[in-house]
Amino acid sequence: MTSDIFTEDYCDTLCELFNIGMGRAAVSFSEMVNDEVLLTVPSLKAVDFNTAMELFQCISPGNVNAVEQYFEGRFSGNAFLFFNDESSLQLVRSILGEGNWGSELGELEQEALKEVSNIILNACFGCIADVLDCELESSVPDLICGEINDVFDVERMRIGENPLVLTLSMSFSLPNKKITGQVSLIMASDSIKRLITELERFMTLYV
Amino acid sequence: MAEPKSVLVVDDSRLTRMMIVKMIKTHHSDWPITEATSVSEALECVNSQTFDFISLDHNMPDGTGYEILPQINIAQPAAHIGIFTANIQAVVKQRFEELGATFYGKPISEAMILQFTADGGQS
């Protein structure tokens, strides 16, 4: 079920902050691939943990590659950038050039995927931190390849009680290559409340 | 006293529309401001009213700034158009500037809005 506390206004505000972050990330990414990166309009949903698991299992029934970064500041949580196998390979080929990449990600390809994700997630954190005027520290990126259950492993993640999942869907593509990525944040309910406080403080400046 | 200018704010994000409207109203409380949340709404506005300033987003659910800007240029030849977008790649900026618009990268700041409303409004 969708969240009652994370209302449409908060979704709109956070979505726009992600949109700006993705725009910044696209500049770096376009320099890496030496081509224009096309961005789609993002949408953001706030759902409970079980609903998120069901949603992801429908969207990505097979293997996914997820880069995870823990972020911490006035609010904290786990951020993920997901790519399915095909998008991961397309992305790696765009950065490293065409080659004998096979159908699985080797060490170099994994490093490339982590680096792009690091740029994208940090651009998003950076934008949220700048606009909300708070500091967010992030951990080094970790790549998890497997099924959704492996990615959302509650024992590995440092999530607290009643976690909420904020799921941002946004795709970026290069000419003739469609690469779809999805950003998700998992945050405990007390952290969500602190994020809401920050968003409210910011939004009241413009009401 | 300078005559009030009319403004159209086109953006699918409510937050961005609120920010632009608030910043303009702070300095020009008497300027009428119309909001459009999509390409289709923006086209309806530019084909039915005249504006001095138009702030235009690029990525919107039903189209892009690239698609709509030539039509706005025809419908509103005297308007000063500012592109306010998160897509700040050099190639995007260049393309909009070639279409005659001024480019501003998000996040939006008050200085940016002051520059936008100062530019081109003296005719």
PDB file of all heavy atoms in Angstrom, chain A residues 9 12-13 16 19-20 23-24 26-27 30 36-37 39 41 131 202 205-207, chain B residues 12-16 18-19 22-23 59-61 86 88-89 91-92 95 106-107:
ATOM      1  N   ASP A   9       2.420  16.042  -2.173  1.00  0.00           N
ATOM      2  CA  ASP A   9       3.247  17.260  -2.186  1.00  0.00           C
ATOM      3  C   ASP A   9       4.702  16.930  -1.872  1.00  0.00           C
ATOM      4  O   ASP A   9       5.621  17.461  -2.498  1.00  0.00           O
ATOM      5  CB  ASP A   9       2.745  18.273  -1.149  1.00  0.00           C
ATOM      6  CG  ASP A   9       1.624  19.119  -1.721  1.00  0.00           C
ATOM      7  OD1 ASP A   9       1.345  18.987  -2.926  1.00  0.00           O
ATOM      8  OD2 ASP A   9       1.030  19.891  -0.949  1.00  0.00           O
ATOM      9  N   ASP A  12       6.157  15.223  -4.882  1.00  0.00           N
ATOM     10  CA  ASP A  12       6.450  16.185  -5.959  1.00  0.00           C
ATOM     11  C   ASP A  12       7.755  16.924  -5.666  1.00  0.00           C
ATOM     12  O   ASP A  12       8.604  17.086  -6.546  1.00  0.00           O
ATOM     13  CB  ASP A  12       5.290  17.183  -6.087  1.00  0.00           C
ATOM     14  CG  ASP A  12       5.574  18.260  -7.123  1.00  0.00           C
ATOM     15  OD1 ASP A  12       5.265  18.034  -8.293  1.00  0.00           O
ATOM     16  OD2 ASP A  12       6.137  19.320  -6.761  1.00  0.00           O
ATOM     17  N   THR A  13       7.919  17.353  -4.421  1.00  0.00           N
ATOM     18  CA  THR A  13       9.118  18.116  -4.065  1.00  0.00           C
ATOM     19  C   THR A  13      10.372  17.254  -4.173  1.00  0.00           C
ATOM     20  O   THR A  13      11.358  17.636  -4.796  1.00  0.00           O
ATOM     21  CB  THR A  13       8.990  18.678  -2.627  1.00  0.00           C
ATOM     22  OG1 THR A  13       7.830  19.506  -2.593  1.00  0.00           O
ATOM     23  CG2 THR A  13      10.200  19.492  -2.230  1.00  0.00           C
ATOM     24  N   GLU A  16      11.301  16.455  -7.739  1.00  0.00           N
ATOM     25  CA  GLU A  16      11.964  17.549  -8.446  1.00  0.00           C
ATOM     26  C   GLU A  16      13.432  17.652  -8.022  1.00  0.00           C
ATOM     27  O   GLU A  16      14.302  17.932  -8.847  1.00  0.00           O
ATOM     28  CB  GLU A  16      11.212  18.870  -8.189  1.00  0.00           C
ATOM     29  CG  GLU A  16      11.768  20.086  -8.920  1.00  0.00           C
ATOM     30  CD  GLU A  16      11.669  20.023 -10.446  1.00  0.00           C
ATOM     31  OE1 GLU A  16      11.283  18.972 -10.994  1.00  0.00           O
ATOM     32  OE2 GLU A  16      12.002  21.028 -11.099  1.00  0.00           O
ATOM     33  N   ASN A  19      15.147  15.027  -9.856  1.00  0.00           N
ATOM     34  CA  ASN A  19      15.205  15.432 -11.260  1.00  0.00           C
ATOM     35  C   ASN A  19      16.415  16.343 -11.496  1.00  0.00           C
ATOM     36  O   ASN A  19      17.164  16.176 -12.469  1.00  0.00           O
ATOM     37  CB  ASN A  19      13.890  16.160 -11.603  1.00  0.00           C
ATOM     38  CG  ASN A  19      13.762  16.487 -13.069  1.00  0.00           C
ATOM     39  OD1 ASN A  19      14.255  15.763 -13.915  1.00  0.00           O
ATOM     40  ND2 ASN A  19      13.104  17.596 -13.362  1.00  0.00           N
ATOM     41  N   ILE A  20      16.618  17.279 -10.586  1.00  0.00           N
ATOM     42  CA  ILE A  20      17.760  18.197 -10.706  1.00  0.00           C
ATOM     43  C   ILE A  20      19.067  17.419 -10.543  1.00  0.00           C
ATOM     44  O   ILE A  20      20.030  17.617 -11.288  1.00  0.00           O
ATOM     45  CB  ILE A  20      17.652  19.332  -9.658  1.00  0.00           C
ATOM     46  CG1 ILE A  20      16.398  20.172  -9.916  1.00  0.00           C
ATOM     47  CG2 ILE A  20      18.895  20.220  -9.690  1.00  0.00           C
ATOM     48  CD1 ILE A  20      16.031  21.118  -8.785  1.00  0.00           C
ATOM     49  N   GLY A  23      19.829  15.538 -13.581  1.00  0.00           N
ATOM     50  CA  GLY A  23      20.305  16.457 -14.612  1.00  0.00           C
ATOM     51  C   GLY A  23      21.796  16.722 -14.449  1.00  0.00           C
ATOM     52  O   GLY A  23      22.551  16.753 -15.423  1.00  0.00           O
ATOM     53  N   ARG A  24      22.224  16.885 -13.187  1.00  0.00           N
ATOM     54  CA  ARG A  24      23.657  17.098 -12.918  1.00  0.00           C
ATOM     55  C   ARG A  24      24.446  15.841 -13.283  1.00  0.00           C
ATOM     56  O   ARG A  24      25.525  15.921 -13.868  1.00  0.00           O
ATOM     57  CB  ARG A  24      23.879  17.379 -11.424  1.00  0.00           C
ATOM     58  CG  ARG A  24      23.402  18.739 -10.978  1.00  0.00           C
ATOM     59  CD  ARG A  24      23.726  18.904  -9.501  1.00  0.00           C
ATOM     60  NE  ARG A  24      23.203  20.150  -8.974  1.00  0.00           N
ATOM     61  CZ  ARG A  24      23.344  20.533  -7.720  1.00  0.00           C
ATOM     62  NH1 ARG A  24      23.980  19.775  -6.863  1.00  0.00           N
ATOM     63  NH2 ARG A  24      22.847  21.681  -7.305  1.00  0.00           N
ATOM     64  N   ALA A  26      23.684  13.655 -15.450  1.00  0.00           N
ATOM     65  CA  ALA A  26      23.702  13.457 -16.901  1.00  0.00           C
ATOM     66  C   ALA A  26      24.868  14.197 -17.550  1.00  0.00           C
ATOM     67  O   ALA A  26      25.410  13.750 -18.561  1.00  0.00           O
ATOM     68  CB  ALA A  26      22.376  13.913 -17.509  1.00  0.00           C
ATOM     69  N   VAL A  27      25.252  15.345 -16.948  1.00  0.00           N
ATOM     70  CA  VAL A  27      26.395  16.100 -17.486  1.00  0.00           C
ATOM     71  C   VAL A  27      27.663  15.248 -17.393  1.00  0.00           C
ATOM     72  O   VAL A  27      28.394  15.082 -18.370  1.00  0.00           O
ATOM     73  CB  VAL A  27      26.586  17.434 -16.726  1.00  0.00           C
ATOM     74  CG1 VAL A  27      27.852  18.136 -17.175  1.00  0.00           C
ATOM     75  CG2 VAL A  27      25.384  18.342 -16.940  1.00  0.00           C
ATOM     76  N   SER A  30      27.334  12.147 -19.681  1.00  0.00           N
ATOM     77  CA  SER A  30      27.472  12.446 -21.117  1.00  0.00           C
ATOM     78  C   SER A  30      28.949  12.674 -21.470  1.00  0.00           C
ATOM     79  O   SER A  30      29.382  12.361 -22.577  1.00  0.00           O
ATOM     80  CB  SER A  30      26.617  13.649 -21.534  1.00  0.00           C
ATOM     81  OG  SER A  30      27.122  14.832 -20.999  1.00  0.00           O
ATOM     82  N   GLU A  36      25.068  12.798 -26.016  1.00  0.00           N
ATOM     83  CA  GLU A  36      23.983  13.392 -25.237  1.00  0.00           C
ATOM     84  C   GLU A  36      23.196  12.297 -24.506  1.00  0.00           C
ATOM     85  O   GLU A  36      22.938  11.234 -25.062  1.00  0.00           O
ATOM     86  CB  GLU A  36      23.026  14.172 -26.146  1.00  0.00           C
ATOM     87  CG  GLU A  36      21.915  14.850 -25.377  1.00  0.00           C
ATOM     88  CD  GLU A  36      20.930  15.614 -26.260  1.00  0.00           C
ATOM     89  OE1 GLU A  36      21.066  15.567 -27.495  1.00  0.00           O
ATOM     90  OE2 GLU A  36      20.024  16.230 -25.711  1.00  0.00           O
ATOM     91  N   VAL A  37      22.831  12.569 -23.269  1.00  0.00           N
ATOM     92  CA  VAL A  37      22.015  11.635 -22.492  1.00  0.00           C
ATOM     93  C   VAL A  37      20.591  12.183 -22.446  1.00  0.00           C
ATOM     94  O   VAL A  37      20.381  13.332 -22.064  1.00  0.00           O
ATOM     95  CB  VAL A  37      22.576  11.490 -21.060  1.00  0.00           C
ATOM     96  CG1 VAL A  37      21.698  10.571 -20.225  1.00  0.00           C
ATOM     97  CG2 VAL A  37      24.003  10.970 -21.103  1.00  0.00           C
ATOM     98  N   LEU A  39      16.909  12.260 -20.915  1.00  0.00           N
ATOM     99  CA  LEU A  39      16.289  11.940 -19.624  1.00  0.00           C
ATOM    100  C   LEU A  39      14.774  11.951 -19.757  1.00  0.00           C
ATOM    101  O   LEU A  39      14.221  12.789 -20.471  1.00  0.00           O
ATOM    102  CB  LEU A  39      16.692  12.981 -18.574  1.00  0.00           C
ATOM    103  CG  LEU A  39      18.174  13.109 -18.264  1.00  0.00           C
ATOM    104  CD1 LEU A  39      18.432  14.342 -17.415  1.00  0.00           C
ATOM    105  CD2 LEU A  39      18.675  11.868 -17.552  1.00  0.00           C
ATOM    106  N   VAL A  41      10.845  12.052 -17.828  1.00  0.00           N
ATOM    107  CA  VAL A  41      10.238  12.720 -16.678  1.00  0.00           C
ATOM    108  C   VAL A  41      10.170  11.707 -15.528  1.00  0.00           C
ATOM    109  O   VAL A  41       9.694  10.595 -15.711  1.00  0.00           O
ATOM    110  CB  VAL A  41       8.816  13.198 -17.033  1.00  0.00           C
ATOM    111  CG1 VAL A  41       8.169  13.890 -15.856  1.00  0.00           C
ATOM    112  CG2 VAL A  41       8.861  14.119 -18.235  1.00  0.00           C
ATOM    113  N   VAL A 131      19.811  21.827  -1.612  1.00  0.00           N
ATOM    114  CA  VAL A 131      18.535  22.551  -1.610  1.00  0.00           C
ATOM    115  C   VAL A 131      17.927  22.581  -0.206  1.00  0.00           C
ATOM    116  O   VAL A 131      17.396  23.596   0.228  1.00  0.00           O
ATOM    117  CB  VAL A 131      17.550  21.949  -2.645  1.00  0.00           C
ATOM    118  CG1 VAL A 131      16.180  22.596  -2.538  1.00  0.00           C
ATOM    119  CG2 VAL A 131      18.098  22.131  -4.060  1.00  0.00           C
ATOM    120  N   PHE A 202      11.461  23.609   3.913  1.00  0.00           N
ATOM    121  CA  PHE A 202      11.809  24.156   2.602  1.00  0.00           C
ATOM    122  C   PHE A 202      10.563  24.658   1.863  1.00  0.00           C
ATOM    123  O   PHE A 202      10.553  25.754   1.305  1.00  0.00           O
ATOM    124  CB  PHE A 202      12.522  23.067   1.791  1.00  0.00           C
ATOM    125  CG  PHE A 202      12.812  23.452   0.374  1.00  0.00           C
ATOM    126  CD1 PHE A 202      13.718  24.456   0.085  1.00  0.00           C
ATOM    127  CD2 PHE A 202      12.158  22.821  -0.677  1.00  0.00           C
ATOM    128  CE1 PHE A 202      13.975  24.819  -1.228  1.00  0.00           C
ATOM    129  CE2 PHE A 202      12.409  23.186  -1.979  1.00  0.00           C
ATOM    130  CZ  PHE A 202      13.320  24.190  -2.252  1.00  0.00           C
ATOM    131  N   LEU A 205       8.869  28.047   2.590  1.00  0.00           N
ATOM    132  CA  LEU A 205       9.517  29.251   2.039  1.00  0.00           C
ATOM    133  C   LEU A 205       8.775  29.753   0.804  1.00  0.00           C
ATOM    134  O   LEU A 205       8.884  30.900   0.423  1.00  0.00           O
ATOM    135  CB  LEU A 205      10.966  28.945   1.659  1.00  0.00           C
ATOM    136  CG  LEU A 205      11.935  28.545   2.755  1.00  0.00           C
ATOM    137  CD1 LEU A 205      13.270  28.141   2.158  1.00  0.00           C
ATOM    138  CD2 LEU A 205      12.124  29.696   3.741  1.00  0.00           C
ATOM    139  N   TYR A 206       8.032  28.850   0.154  1.00  0.00           N
ATOM    140  CA  TYR A 206       7.441  29.205  -1.139  1.00  0.00           C
ATOM    141  C   TYR A 206       5.917  29.126  -1.160  1.00  0.00           C
ATOM    142  O   TYR A 206       5.321  29.204  -2.208  1.00  0.00           O
ATOM    143  CB  TYR A 206       8.032  28.300  -2.222  1.00  0.00           C
ATOM    144  CG  TYR A 206       9.522  28.468  -2.295  1.00  0.00           C
ATOM    145  CD1 TYR A 206      10.363  27.520  -1.739  1.00  0.00           C
ATOM    146  CD2 TYR A 206      10.074  29.630  -2.826  1.00  0.00           C
ATOM    147  CE1 TYR A 206      11.740  27.709  -1.744  1.00  0.00           C
ATOM    148  CE2 TYR A 206      11.430  29.821  -2.827  1.00  0.00           C
ATOM    149  CZ  TYR A 206      12.264  28.864  -2.290  1.00  0.00           C
ATOM    150  OH  TYR A 206      13.610  29.061  -2.279  1.00  0.00           O
ATOM    151  N   VAL A 207       5.295  28.957   0.002  1.00  0.00           N
ATOM    152  CA  VAL A 207       3.823  28.892   0.044  1.00  0.00           C
ATOM    153  C   VAL A 207       3.275  30.272   0.352  1.00  0.00           C
ATOM    154  O   VAL A 207       3.798  30.943   1.221  1.00  0.00           O
ATOM    155  CB  VAL A 207       3.345  27.855   1.073  1.00  0.00           C
ATOM    156  CG1 VAL A 207       1.828  27.893   1.211  1.00  0.00           C
ATOM    157  CG2 VAL A 207       3.797  26.473   0.651  1.00  0.00           C
TER     158      VAL A 207
ATOM    159  N   ASP B  12       5.919  21.074 -14.985  1.00  0.00           N
ATOM    160  CA  ASP B  12       5.051  20.030 -14.418  1.00  0.00           C
ATOM    161  C   ASP B  12       5.273  19.873 -12.916  1.00  0.00           C
ATOM    162  O   ASP B  12       4.448  19.274 -12.239  1.00  0.00           O
ATOM    163  CB  ASP B  12       5.253  18.683 -15.139  1.00  0.00           C
ATOM    164  CG  ASP B  12       6.679  18.171 -15.028  1.00  0.00           C
ATOM    165  OD1 ASP B  12       7.599  18.952 -15.317  1.00  0.00           O
ATOM    166  OD2 ASP B  12       6.869  17.000 -14.654  1.00  0.00           O
ATOM    167  N   SER B  13       6.364  20.424 -12.400  1.00  0.00           N
ATOM    168  CA  SER B  13       6.612  20.327 -10.957  1.00  0.00           C
ATOM    169  C   SER B  13       5.928  21.477 -10.225  1.00  0.00           C
ATOM    170  O   SER B  13       6.183  22.649 -10.504  1.00  0.00           O
ATOM    171  CB  SER B  13       8.111  20.381 -10.675  1.00  0.00           C
ATOM    172  OG  SER B  13       8.321  20.704  -9.314  1.00  0.00           O
ATOM    173  N   ARG B  14       5.067  21.097  -9.263  1.00  0.00           N
ATOM    174  CA  ARG B  14       4.369  22.116  -8.486  1.00  0.00           C
ATOM    175  C   ARG B  14       5.373  22.948  -7.693  1.00  0.00           C
ATOM    176  O   ARG B  14       5.240  24.162  -7.568  1.00  0.00           O
ATOM    177  CB  ARG B  14       3.371  21.426  -7.548  1.00  0.00           C
ATOM    178  CG  ARG B  14       2.563  22.371  -6.730  1.00  0.00           C
ATOM    179  CD  ARG B  14       1.383  21.690  -6.056  1.00  0.00           C
ATOM    180  NE  ARG B  14       0.779  22.606  -5.113  1.00  0.00           N
ATOM    181  CZ  ARG B  14       0.906  22.506  -3.797  1.00  0.00           C
ATOM    182  NH1 ARG B  14       1.585  21.522  -3.268  1.00  0.00           N
ATOM    183  NH2 ARG B  14       0.341  23.380  -3.007  1.00  0.00           N
ATOM    184  N   LEU B  15       6.386  22.266  -7.169  1.00  0.00           N
ATOM    185  CA  LEU B  15       7.414  22.959  -6.375  1.00  0.00           C
ATOM    186  C   LEU B  15       8.071  24.071  -7.184  1.00  0.00           C
ATOM    187  O   LEU B  15       8.193  25.208  -6.730  1.00  0.00           O
ATOM    188  CB  LEU B  15       8.483  21.959  -5.916  1.00  0.00           C
ATOM    189  CG  LEU B  15       9.691  22.608  -5.238  1.00  0.00           C
ATOM    190  CD1 LEU B  15       9.348  23.053  -3.825  1.00  0.00           C
ATOM    191  CD2 LEU B  15      10.888  21.685  -5.218  1.00  0.00           C
ATOM    192  N   THR B  16       8.477  23.739  -8.406  1.00  0.00           N
ATOM    193  CA  THR B  16       9.161  24.736  -9.226  1.00  0.00           C
ATOM    194  C   THR B  16       8.230  25.899  -9.554  1.00  0.00           C
ATOM    195  O   THR B  16       8.646  27.064  -9.498  1.00  0.00           O
ATOM    196  CB  THR B  16       9.695  24.078 -10.512  1.00  0.00           C
ATOM    197  OG1 THR B  16      10.669  23.110 -10.129  1.00  0.00           O
ATOM    198  CG2 THR B  16      10.335  25.090 -11.436  1.00  0.00           C
ATOM    199  N   MET B  18       5.746  26.957  -7.756  1.00  0.00           N
ATOM    200  CA  MET B  18       5.601  27.734  -6.514  1.00  0.00           C
ATOM    201  C   MET B  18       6.811  28.640  -6.293  1.00  0.00           C
ATOM    202  O   MET B  18       6.678  29.803  -5.921  1.00  0.00           O
ATOM    203  CB  MET B  18       5.468  26.782  -5.312  1.00  0.00           C
ATOM    204  CG  MET B  18       4.072  26.220  -5.107  1.00  0.00           C
ATOM    205  SD  MET B  18       4.067  24.757  -3.997  1.00  0.00           S
ATOM    206  CE  MET B  18       4.901  25.364  -2.563  1.00  0.00           C
ATOM    207  N   MET B  19       8.010  28.084  -6.516  1.00  0.00           N
ATOM    208  CA  MET B  19       9.238  28.857  -6.286  1.00  0.00           C
ATOM    209  C   MET B  19       9.318  30.046  -7.229  1.00  0.00           C
ATOM    210  O   MET B  19       9.606  31.167  -6.812  1.00  0.00           O
ATOM    211  CB  MET B  19      10.470  27.960  -6.493  1.00  0.00           C
ATOM    212  CG  MET B  19      10.662  26.937  -5.402  1.00  0.00           C
ATOM    213  SD  MET B  19      12.038  25.817  -5.746  1.00  0.00           S
ATOM    214  CE  MET B  19      13.433  26.840  -5.314  1.00  0.00           C
ATOM    215  N   LYS B  22       6.578  32.658  -6.363  1.00  0.00           N
ATOM    216  CA  LYS B  22       6.895  33.372  -5.114  1.00  0.00           C
ATOM    217  C   LYS B  22       8.034  34.383  -5.339  1.00  0.00           C
ATOM    218  O   LYS B  22       7.969  35.530  -4.879  1.00  0.00           O
ATOM    219  CB  LYS B  22       7.297  32.341  -4.055  1.00  0.00           C
ATOM    220  CG  LYS B  22       7.841  32.919  -2.784  1.00  0.00           C
ATOM    221  CD  LYS B  22       6.764  33.162  -1.771  1.00  0.00           C
ATOM    222  CE  LYS B  22       7.350  33.753  -0.504  1.00  0.00           C
ATOM    223  NZ  LYS B  22       6.528  33.580   0.648  1.00  0.00           N
ATOM    224  N   MET B  23       9.064  33.974  -6.050  1.00  0.00           N
ATOM    225  CA  MET B  23      10.214  34.858  -6.263  1.00  0.00           C
ATOM    226  C   MET B  23       9.828  36.071  -7.110  1.00  0.00           C
ATOM    227  O   MET B  23      10.277  37.183  -6.852  1.00  0.00           O
ATOM    228  CB  MET B  23      11.355  34.080  -6.919  1.00  0.00           C
ATOM    229  CG  MET B  23      12.050  33.122  -5.963  1.00  0.00           C
ATOM    230  SD  MET B  23      13.226  32.075  -6.850  1.00  0.00           S
ATOM    231  CE  MET B  23      13.810  31.005  -5.556  1.00  0.00           C
ATOM    232  N   ASN B  59      11.749  18.922 -19.857  1.00  0.00           N
ATOM    233  CA  ASN B  59      11.145  17.573 -19.812  1.00  0.00           C
ATOM    234  C   ASN B  59       9.789  17.626 -19.128  1.00  0.00           C
ATOM    235  O   ASN B  59       9.708  17.858 -17.929  1.00  0.00           O
ATOM    236  CB  ASN B  59      12.038  16.613 -19.010  1.00  0.00           C
ATOM    237  CG  ASN B  59      13.184  16.068 -19.836  1.00  0.00           C
ATOM    238  OD1 ASN B  59      13.235  16.270 -21.041  1.00  0.00           O
ATOM    239  ND2 ASN B  59      14.099  15.385 -19.180  1.00  0.00           N
ATOM    240  N   MET B  60       8.740  17.403 -19.903  1.00  0.00           N
ATOM    241  CA  MET B  60       7.401  17.372 -19.320  1.00  0.00           C
ATOM    242  C   MET B  60       6.693  16.099 -19.779  1.00  0.00           C
ATOM    243  O   MET B  60       7.077  15.506 -20.792  1.00  0.00           O
ATOM    244  CB  MET B  60       6.618  18.629 -19.726  1.00  0.00           C
ATOM    245  CG  MET B  60       7.096  19.871 -18.991  1.00  0.00           C
ATOM    246  SD  MET B  60       6.268  21.383 -19.485  1.00  0.00           S
ATOM    247  CE  MET B  60       7.129  21.769 -20.996  1.00  0.00           C
ATOM    248  N   PRO B  61       5.667  15.656 -19.047  1.00  0.00           N
ATOM    249  CA  PRO B  61       5.062  14.357 -19.372  1.00  0.00           C
ATOM    250  C   PRO B  61       4.510  14.268 -20.795  1.00  0.00           C
ATOM    251  O   PRO B  61       4.538  13.206 -21.393  1.00  0.00           O
ATOM    252  CB  PRO B  61       3.937  14.220 -18.345  1.00  0.00           C
ATOM    253  CG  PRO B  61       4.314  15.121 -17.233  1.00  0.00           C
ATOM    254  CD  PRO B  61       5.090  16.246 -17.841  1.00  0.00           C
ATOM    255  N   ALA B  86      16.444  21.025 -15.396  1.00  0.00           N
ATOM    256  CA  ALA B  86      17.480  20.278 -14.672  1.00  0.00           C
ATOM    257  C   ALA B  86      18.461  19.636 -15.645  1.00  0.00           C
ATOM    258  O   ALA B  86      19.537  19.215 -15.254  1.00  0.00           O
ATOM    259  CB  ALA B  86      16.816  19.195 -13.812  1.00  0.00           C
ATOM    260  N   ILE B  88      21.099  20.028 -17.700  1.00  0.00           N
ATOM    261  CA  ILE B  88      22.031  21.146 -17.901  1.00  0.00           C
ATOM    262  C   ILE B  88      23.203  20.782 -18.807  1.00  0.00           C
ATOM    263  O   ILE B  88      24.272  21.393 -18.729  1.00  0.00           O
ATOM    264  CB  ILE B  88      22.544  21.672 -16.536  1.00  0.00           C
ATOM    265  CG1 ILE B  88      23.094  20.513 -15.687  1.00  0.00           C
ATOM    266  CG2 ILE B  88      21.448  22.391 -15.780  1.00  0.00           C
ATOM    267  CD1 ILE B  88      23.712  20.939 -14.371  1.00  0.00           C
ATOM    268  N   GLN B  89      23.027  19.787 -19.665  1.00  0.00           N
ATOM    269  CA  GLN B  89      24.105  19.407 -20.580  1.00  0.00           C
ATOM    270  C   GLN B  89      24.365  20.532 -21.591  1.00  0.00           C
ATOM    271  O   GLN B  89      23.422  21.207 -22.036  1.00  0.00           O
ATOM    272  CB  GLN B  89      23.724  18.132 -21.322  1.00  0.00           C
ATOM    273  CG  GLN B  89      23.601  16.928 -20.406  1.00  0.00           C
ATOM    274  CD  GLN B  89      23.040  15.720 -21.132  1.00  0.00           C
ATOM    275  OE1 GLN B  89      23.744  15.054 -21.844  1.00  0.00           O
ATOM    276  NE2 GLN B  89      21.751  15.472 -20.942  1.00  0.00           N
ATOM    277  N   VAL B  91      25.004  20.552 -24.704  1.00  0.00           N
ATOM    278  CA  VAL B  91      24.313  20.427 -25.988  1.00  0.00           C
ATOM    279  C   VAL B  91      22.848  20.888 -25.882  1.00  0.00           C
ATOM    280  O   VAL B  91      22.300  21.474 -26.821  1.00  0.00           O
ATOM    281  CB  VAL B  91      24.423  18.974 -26.528  1.00  0.00           C
ATOM    282  CG1 VAL B  91      23.758  17.976 -25.606  1.00  0.00           C
ATOM    283  CG2 VAL B  91      23.859  18.843 -27.920  1.00  0.00           C
ATOM    284  N   VAL B  92      22.255  20.660 -24.727  1.00  0.00           N
ATOM    285  CA  VAL B  92      20.859  21.082 -24.507  1.00  0.00           C
ATOM    286  C   VAL B  92      20.801  22.612 -24.437  1.00  0.00           C
ATOM    287  O   VAL B  92      19.955  23.263 -25.071  1.00  0.00           O
ATOM    288  CB  VAL B  92      20.295  20.446 -23.206  1.00  0.00           C
ATOM    289  CG1 VAL B  92      18.896  20.938 -22.917  1.00  0.00           C
ATOM    290  CG2 VAL B  92      20.323  18.923 -23.311  1.00  0.00           C
ATOM    291  N   ARG B  95      21.299  24.149 -27.869  1.00  0.00           N
ATOM    292  CA  ARG B  95      20.122  23.997 -28.747  1.00  0.00           C
ATOM    293  C   ARG B  95      19.042  25.031 -28.396  1.00  0.00           C
ATOM    294  O   ARG B  95      18.444  25.624 -29.282  1.00  0.00           O
ATOM    295  CB  ARG B  95      19.570  22.577 -28.591  1.00  0.00           C
ATOM    296  CG  ARG B  95      18.913  22.061 -29.846  1.00  0.00           C
ATOM    297  CD  ARG B  95      18.654  20.577 -29.748  1.00  0.00           C
ATOM    298  NE  ARG B  95      19.855  19.761 -29.825  1.00  0.00           N
ATOM    299  CZ  ARG B  95      19.986  18.560 -29.277  1.00  0.00           C
ATOM    300  NH1 ARG B  95      19.004  18.048 -28.550  1.00  0.00           N
ATOM    301  NH2 ARG B  95      21.095  17.871 -29.421  1.00  0.00           N
ATOM    302  N   LYS B 106      18.485  24.460 -13.298  1.00  0.00           N
ATOM    303  CA  LYS B 106      17.941  24.286 -11.949  1.00  0.00           C
ATOM    304  C   LYS B 106      19.053  23.765 -11.040  1.00  0.00           C
ATOM    305  O   LYS B 106      19.973  23.115 -11.535  1.00  0.00           O
ATOM    306  CB  LYS B 106      16.789  23.273 -11.979  1.00  0.00           C
ATOM    307  CG  LYS B 106      15.513  23.810 -12.626  1.00  0.00           C
ATOM    308  CD  LYS B 106      14.449  22.709 -12.612  1.00  0.00           C
ATOM    309  CE  LYS B 106      13.159  23.172 -13.262  1.00  0.00           C
ATOM    310  NZ  LYS B 106      12.158  22.094 -13.356  1.00  0.00           N
ATOM    311  N   PRO B 107      19.020  23.983  -9.731  1.00  0.00           N
ATOM    312  CA  PRO B 107      17.908  24.549  -8.966  1.00  0.00           C
ATOM    313  C   PRO B 107      17.767  26.054  -9.162  1.00  0.00           C
ATOM    314  O   PRO B 107      18.755  26.755  -9.383  1.00  0.00           O
ATOM    315  CB  PRO B 107      18.255  24.208  -7.514  1.00  0.00           C
ATOM    316  CG  PRO B 107      19.729  24.020  -7.486  1.00  0.00           C
ATOM    317  CD  PRO B 107      20.106  23.513  -8.847  1.00  0.00           C
TER     318      PRO B 107
END
